[in-house]
Amino acid sequence: MTQARRPAPIPAPVRRRDRHGRGLRGPLLPPFLPAWRTRAERFDEVVVQAAGDLARRLPQVADMQFAVEEVPPSDPAPWEGGVVLGRGFAAEARAGLPARIVVYRRPVAGRAHTEAELGELVRRVIVEQVALLLGRRPEEIDPDLA
């Protein structure tokens, strides 16, 4: 007796999200709309804009680095009361590091209720840190703060 060969199994059709012949679904928002960016990316843009505005007025600010971190470290300095919104780090000539200013996103964004308040608060934090690093009063750095 000869053995009958079984036919090869037919693969199941691949299911796609093309329901009812309407085509593949795309993103809800196109990339050129402002809502495409995350809150963190929008916050970064606010910091870059505030630092750029300040650098156009003061040439010393152009040499500083600006960074954004989510939250401050859990060990605040003894003179820092409450939650820290930003920190300035002096330049280290031996290590070749320029002066740096760090803005903490979550504490700053939590205090602002609108986009305008957020921009104003970021500007204040940056001006205060620049003033500390340069040894001047914040009103000298940005007269609009007075």
Side-chain angles (χ1 to χ4, degrees):
M1 285 190 139
T2 62
Q3 250 182 357
R5 292 184 112 180
R6 295 173 119 182
I10 299 173
V14 177
R15 293 183 58 141
R16 299 220 165 106
R17 297 293 295 177
D18 185 8
R19 291 185 181 167
H20 309 290
R22 294 184 189 140
L24 295 174
R25 294 181 178 190
L28 294 176
L29 295 170
F32 57 85
L33 289 179
W36 177 265
R37 296 184 314 268
T38 63
R39 282 179 271 181
E41 290 171 338
R42 288 192 303 262
F43 187 86
D44 291 348
E45 288 177 6
V46 171
V47 170
V48 167
Q49 182 180 8
D53 292 345
L54 199 57
R56 281 190 282 282
R57 283 190 263 163
L58 289 171
Q60 302 98 325
V61 177
D63 297 332
M64 296 180 181
Q65 288 182 346
F66 293 87
V68 175
E69 288 187 13
E70 289 295 309
V71 293
S74 60
D75 57 344
W79 60 85
E80 295 174 328
V83 178
V84 181
L85 302 179
R87 281 203 176 123
F89 298 95
E92 296 179 26
R94 285 183 284 151
L97 295 174
R100 295 166 308 211
I101 294 176
V102 178
V103 180
Y104 299 112
R105 184 177 76 84
R106 296 244 177 174
V108 172
R111 284 167 174 70
H113 300 293
T114 64
E115 292 290 324
E117 286 181 10
L118 180 67
E120 178 66 25
L121 187 56
V122 166
R123 188 171 66 93
R124 282 184 173 277
V125 169
I126 290 177
V127 166
E128 288 175 2
Q129 296 304 319
V130 167
L132 284 172
L133 289 175
L134 297 179
R136 297 167 64 184
R137 293 191 343 250
E139 296 81 21
E140 295 174 21
I141 303 294
D142 190 0
D144 297 336
L145 289 180

